[in-house]
Amino acid sequence: MQHIVIIGNGISGITAARHIRKLSDNKITVISGETDHFFSRTALMYVYMGHMKFEHTKPYEDDFWAKNRIELKRAWVTNIDFENKKLNLTGDETLNYDKLILALGSKPNKFGWKGQDLKGVQVIKT
Ligand SMILES: Cc1cc2nc3c(=O)[nH]c(=O)nc-3n(C[C@H](O)[C@H](O)[C@H](O)COP(=O)(O)OP(=O)(O)OC[C@H]3O[C@@H](n4cnc5c(N)ncnc54)[C@H](O)[C@@H]3O)c2cc1C
């Protein structure tokens, strides 16, 4: 049995985890520093506008992960030792993997456009 580690619990990481589980019995660990559980990032604007609560943005019940044997780890990965297949996590923890999937997302960019730093102009990511 292989240990598949996925960094990132966004739509990419979780879709990968679900499909790997359907296809195999491998051990799966999903790591994210942001939240315990996957949430719909696209719904954040509705939370921001007050139309939804954050808890309504979770597509799966909290017991989904245990039922599907997808282990969740809340931590930031600070270093990847590709040669020894080892991750360093915040809190001085380490984790070994056989296969690693990077589903790290991205962050909003600024391009030096006129007005981008005016009061009230902002990005939404987390
Ligand atoms: C407000 C808003 C509205 C949007 N609306 C739409 C829309 O209508 N339609 C559409 O198609 N797209 C939309 N998007 C874009 C869409 O949400 C993203 O394309 C999508 O979430 C990307 O998914 P991902 O899994 O690749 O990355 P993310 O969702 O960014 O997930 C990556 C995860 O990896 C974690 N991570 C990164 N580095 C580390 C590390 N070193 N250690 C541990 N964890 C780490 C991050 O914390 C994050 O949780 C919207 C985005 C926002 C913010």
Side-chain angles (χ1 to χ4, degrees), residues 8-12 32-34 41-42 45 75-77 103 105 124-125:
N9 72 348
I11 187 67
S12 311
S32 176
E34 185 182 9
R41 194 173 299 283
T42 56
M45 69 177 93
W76 291 106
V77 176
I124 301 178
K125 160 78 178 173

Side-chain angles (χ1 to χ4, degrees), residues 39-61:
F39 68 94
S40 168
R41 194 173 299 283
T42 56
L44 278 183
M45 69 177 93
Y46 304 106
V47 177
Y48 181 73
M49 292 188 293
H51 298 175
M52 284 175 88
K53 288 186 173 171
F54 180 73
E55 54 265 35
H56 300 144
T57 65
K58 289 198 287 187
Y60 301 106
E61 299 295 330

Side-chain angles (χ1 to χ4, degrees), residues 92-108:
D92 278 344
E93 274 187 84
T94 57
L95 191 70
N96 289 87
Y97 63 86
D98 297 303
K99 299 268 186 218
L100 181 66
I101 296 178
L102 303 179
L104 303 168
S106 58
K107 59 182 181 184

Side-chain angles (χ1 to χ4, degrees), residues 55-109:
E55 54 265 35
H56 300 144
T57 65
K58 289 198 287 187
Y60 301 106
E61 299 295 330
D62 289 354
D63 61 357
F64 174 88
W65 312 104
K67 270 189 203 160
N68 286 281
R69 289 172 294 119
I70 298 172
E71 287 181 32
L72 302 179
K73 176 82 187 157
R74 177 86 181 264
W76 291 106
V77 176
T78 53
N79 186 59
I80 305 173
D81 178 351
F82 289 104
E83 208 168 309
N84 297 303
K85 299 191 170 189
K86 192 165 126 183
L87 304 177
N88 287 89
L89 312 179
T90 41
D92 278 344
E93 274 187 84
T94 57
L95 191 70
N96 289 87
Y97 63 86
D98 297 303
K99 299 268 186 218
L100 181 66
I101 296 178
L102 303 179
L104 303 168
S106 58
K107 59 182 181 184
N109 209 345

